[in-house]
Amino acid sequence: MLAYRIDSSDRVPNLSQTPIPAPGEGQVRLQIEACGLNFADLLMIEGRYQDTPPLPFTLGMEVAGVIDAVGPGVTDLVPGERVALFGGQGGLAEYGVFEAARAVPLPDSMSSVVAAGFQIAYGTSHLALDHRARLTPGETLLVLGAAGGVGLTAVEIGKLMGARVIACARGPEKLEVARRAGADHLIDAREADIRAEVKALGGADVVYDAVGGEQFDAAFRACNPEARILTIGFASGTVPQIKANHLLVKNLTVMGLYWGGYLKFRPEALTGSLAQLFDWHAQGKLHPHVSQVLPLARVAEGLELLRSRASTGKVVIEIPG
């Protein structure tokens, strides 16, 4: 089978032939139809992600496809069933072996392309806003990187949860995508004084930050008393340094959210969140935005779209059988 792998210490990924794996105890083998790309894939290539697997490994964190075979002990899933799952690795291939417990059956209404980009982006935003920040109706939510893979879902979910949403993104085209997702106010990160504009809108009660750097600093200074700041990622490449005395003065809370970590210490929070999200999608309340669908041979191009922050919503690799 074809797989997009990192095989050697130079950490240069390549599309190569590798044997089709067999499922072990408690595992399923998936004929993969689509794999969502994530910023974490770029960090894995560089060896900087918190869960980077040991070499060699196949990239691709979240997938959708058809179960091709099941291993011993798997009784609730059968070959031919369509599922999505977060595997953490192994998704950019024609076949993959994954833990059966992570598989989520797909409704007929959701395509594999949409499903492959659904779990991490929507799961991150819902768990962050609902479980961590406890966003309530009427609060003001500021989303940095609001047209990106996770930021756009934060706009959509925040609005669905009853918040007033301020979307901050780079340029009018990206801001238009955020507006269509439900944003009430738009700020161009390339030109505006983020702090001044947010303050003029009454300040932020919750900040959703997938960018870091100078935008974090500006949002931090635009927070209302008792605001909650969610650190989701650092697409700018700069990790903010937080002055604890400033937290004290405004009674602020800064909290991290690593979605995949919940699989290890509190999986029921993650699975409950996904159940809510799939239900919302079935009701037509969520509208996933996939900006590019590329074949397996063009993975490098898809990753460059993420690296250059040129994409909106999700970039998905489609893998025909």
Side-chain angles (χ1 to χ4, degrees), residues 29-230:
R29 184 172 67 203
L30 207 62
Q31 183 177 344
I32 299 170
E33 296 181 335
C35 178
L37 298 185
N38 292 277
F39 191 77
D41 292 311
L42 298 174
L43 299 179
M44 279 193 188
I45 292 171
E46 299 169 4
R48 297 194 295 121
Y49 190 59
Q50 57 263 31
D51 276 343
T52 300
L55 297 174
F57 68 93
T58 297
L59 287 158
M61 302 180 71
E62 55 178 338
V63 300
V66 179
I67 293 175
D68 174 66
V70 300
V74 178
T75 58
D76 56 341
L77 296 168
V78 296
E81 191 168 359
R82 295 180 64 242
V83 298
L85 58 82
F86 170 77
Q89 60 170 302
L92 287 169
E94 293 177 309
Y95 293 87
V97 166
F98 307 98
E99 296 302 313
R102 298 191 178 192
V104 180
L106 287 180
D108 292 338
S109 60
M110 184 179 286
S111 71
S112 291
V113 167
V114 168
F118 188 87
Q119 291 183 96
I120 293 177
Y122 278 97
T124 294
S125 292
H126 183 252
L127 208 61
L129 295 174
D130 183 62
H131 177 70
R132 294 290 280 149
R134 306 294 184 186
L135 179 68
T136 59
E139 288 191 307
T140 296
L141 168 66
L142 170 63
V143 181
L144 305 180
V150 292
L152 193 61
T153 64
V155 172
E156 192 174 8
I157 291 172
K159 190 65 177 177
L160 189 56
M161 293 176 66
R164 182 178 69 138
V165 180
I166 303 172
C168 183
R170 295 162 60 88
E173 292 183 2
K174 290 189 174 183
L175 287 171
E176 174 58 21
V177 172
R179 185 194 65 77
R180 292 199 301 266
D184 299 289
H185 304 280
L186 307 174
I187 297 176
D188 191 333
R190 295 189 304 190
E191 300 177 357
D193 181 332
I194 296 173
R195 179 199 179 195
E197 293 210 17
V198 175
K199 292 285 284 184
L201 290 168
D205 301 308
V206 175
V207 175
Y208 183 101
D209 177 26
V211 178
E214 293 180 355
Q215 291 191 37
F216 174 94
D217 295 338
F220 187 97
R221 298 171 68 193
C223 282
N224 293 326
E226 294 192 328
R228 292 86 75 201
I229 304 172
L230 292 154

